[in-house]
Amino acid sequence: QLTMSLNSPTLLNEENAQGTKRKAECLESLLQSPSSIQDNPLQQLQLASQEVLEKAKKSGRSKCPRCNSSRMFYCYTCFVPVETVPTKEIPTVKLPLKIDIIKHPNETDGKSTAVHAKLLAPDDVTIYKYPCIPEYEEKRHEIALIFPGPNSVSVKDIAFHLQKYTKKGVCPSGDDCSREPVLKQAKIEPEAEKNPNECISSSRSEGGRLKKIIFIDSTWNQTNKIITDERLQGLLQIELKTRKTCFWRHQKGKPDTYLSTIEAIYYFLVDYHQEILKESYKGQYDNLLFFFSFMYTLIKDARCCAGKE
């Protein structure tokens, strides 16, 4: 009897009517811009036109031009857009410093937002898969690691704390500081070599000569394996201001202040721009969230119309 009642024409008609009503309400709410802006904080970003992504969404999955794998929007293993997303229509962001992303080997490539940074700031972002990471020891005076902890400092205090590394020196006792570094050194700007006094006076605006920032791309439960690696010991650690994530794959049991990798990169750069470079922020790095914001809206709308929200 229970089965019959569940499959009765009357009940099915009621369910269909409720489903239609729910979809209509969802569509109406999506068309109302004030409500949509309130539900989607990313809509306030100053982004390049996402029309190319809209077209790619309608055409479906496409081939990666390098490995021929079927992907949506971009290939997360080759770090390039797919054939239906012309590279010239993807914005490029110039960053004020270099970024290294250390990716946990068990982190699923397709679920990571780290690739967004490489796609949108290809000249300034490098992704490494742990344990294959650089030796940072000789550059400790110009590198910082984004990671919360008891010894972490705020972005505004970067210059002060990096100066300590310069005063103390960056080579452990007994090491030959004149030896060649393991990896090729970063390019030194010609202006920095002209006058020592200029270099000192400009160190404040450069964040205490900060040249590179490191991010760890992994779940919080996997982070310990990387953060305890001896190659990352002794680096200045930076803790970001508390912000809420918009990531649709939020980790269960973790607070909503745990950001995705691309969010962490974006918010760090906004803070760095304002508190270290001392310049007003006018959306210079907003396009780092070009893919993230589009996918956020896409998934949120799909969940709404499926009745999950």
Side-chain angles (χ1 to χ4, degrees):
Q1 291 180 346
L2 180 61
T3 304
M4 290 176 63
S5 63
L6 287 175
N7 291 322
S8 64
T10 303
L11 186 58
L12 288 174
N13 289 336
E14 290 178 356
E15 288 179 347
N16 291 335
Q18 289 176 356
T20 303
K21 181 181 179 182
R22 185 168 59 237
K23 289 180 180 180
E25 291 174 348
C26 174
L27 180 60
E28 183 180 357
S29 66
L30 294 176
L31 294 174
Q32 294 176 356
S33 56
S35 174
S36 183
I37 290 176
Q38 183 179 1
D39 293 340
N40 182 2
L42 300 176
Q43 280 194 347
Q44 301 296 333
L45 299 171
Q46 299 180 39
L47 299 173
S49 171
Q50 294 176 323
E51 184 179 356
V52 62
L53 299 182
E54 288 285 356
K55 291 180 180 178
K57 180 187 71 173
K58 293 178 181 178
S59 61
R61 299 170 71 88
S62 180
K63 286 185 178 181
C64 167
R66 293 187 183 176
C67 68
N68 290 323
S69 297
S70 176
R71 300 281 190 258
M72 193 70 179
F73 304 126
Y74 56 81
C75 180
Y76 44 76
T77 51
C78 300
F79 308 142
V80 293
V82 295
E83 293 177 347
T84 54
V85 182
T87 304
K88 63 181 181 180
E89 295 187 42
I90 300 299
T92 301
V93 185
K94 181 61 182 173
L95 307 185
L97 35 69
K98 301 298 181 182
I99 288 179
D100 279 3
I101 301 174
I102 301 176
K103 192 172 178 298
H104 192 282
N106 293 338
E107 180 72 3
T108 305
D109 291 338
K111 294 183 178 181
S112 172
T113 62
V115 62
H116 296 183
K118 182 62 178 175
L119 284 162
L120 298 162
D123 295 335
D124 298 318
V125 176
T126 305
I127 299 179
Y128 297 95
K129 181 168 286 190
Y130 187 84
C132 299
I133 65 174
E135 296 283 351
Y136 293 109
E137 189 171 26
E138 294 181 357
K139 296 287 186 178
R140 282 192 302 159
H141 59 294
E142 58 187 35
I143 297 176
L145 170 66
I146 299 295
F147 194 80
N151 299 319
S152 297
V153 303
S154 63
V155 173
K156 64 182 177 63
D157 294 326
I158 289 177
F160 173 75
H161 288 279
L162 279 182
Q163 287 174 3
K164 296 179 182 178
Y165 287 87
T166 304
K167 291 177 182 178
K168 293 179 180 178
V170 297
C171 290
S173 59
D175 275 11
D176 180 13
C177 294
S178 63
R179 70 180 187 273
E180 288 295 320
V182 177
L183 296 180
K184 184 178 179 181
Q185 292 192 31
K187 292 181 180 179
I188 299 175
E189 296 295 330
E191 291 78 7
E193 294 180 314
K194 288 182 180 179
N195 190 332
N197 293 328
E198 283 184 8
C199 182
I200 295 173
S201 63
S202 64
S203 64
R204 290 182 181 178
S205 63
E206 294 179 4
R209 295 194 301 172
L210 180 66
K211 300 290 181 66
K212 180 177 290 185
I213 198 79
I214 302 171
F215 291 83
I216 296 176
D217 182 50
S218 73
T219 63
W220 283 95
N221 293 333
Q222 296 171 338
T223 300
N224 188 60
K225 182 177 180 179
I226 297 178
I227 197 63
T228 55
D229 189 288
E230 61 179 7
R231 290 167 290 184
L232 299 181
Q233 302 311 301
L235 292 176
L236 178 64
Q237 292 187 11
I238 309 298
E239 187 164 8
L240 300 179
K241 290 180 180 179
T242 300
R243 292 182 172 94
K244 291 185 178 181
T245 183
C246 289
F247 195 32
W248 49 92
R249 291 194 182 97
H250 182 64
Q251 298 174 41
K252 293 182 179 180
K254 302 299 181 183
D256 58 5
T257 53
Y258 282 24
L259 304 173
S260 65
T261 301
I262 194 62
E263 287 176 303
I265 292 173
Y266 169 74
Y267 285 124
F268 165 79
L269 289 171
V270 171
D271 291 345
Y272 181 86
H273 194 85
Q274 295 174 321
E275 299 182 18
I276 298 298
L277 300 183
K278 301 297 182 182
E279 297 177 13
S280 59
Y281 184 70
K282 299 179 180 179
Q284 290 89 335
Y285 315 117
D286 282 9
N287 274 323
L288 284 175
L289 299 177
F290 179 77
F291 290 104
F292 184 88
S293 63
F294 184 83
M295 295 168 73
Y296 170 87
T297 303
L298 195 66
I299 292 169
K300 186 176 180 62
D301 291 355
R303 287 177 174 176
C304 174
C305 291
K308 293 184 178 181
E309 291 184 4

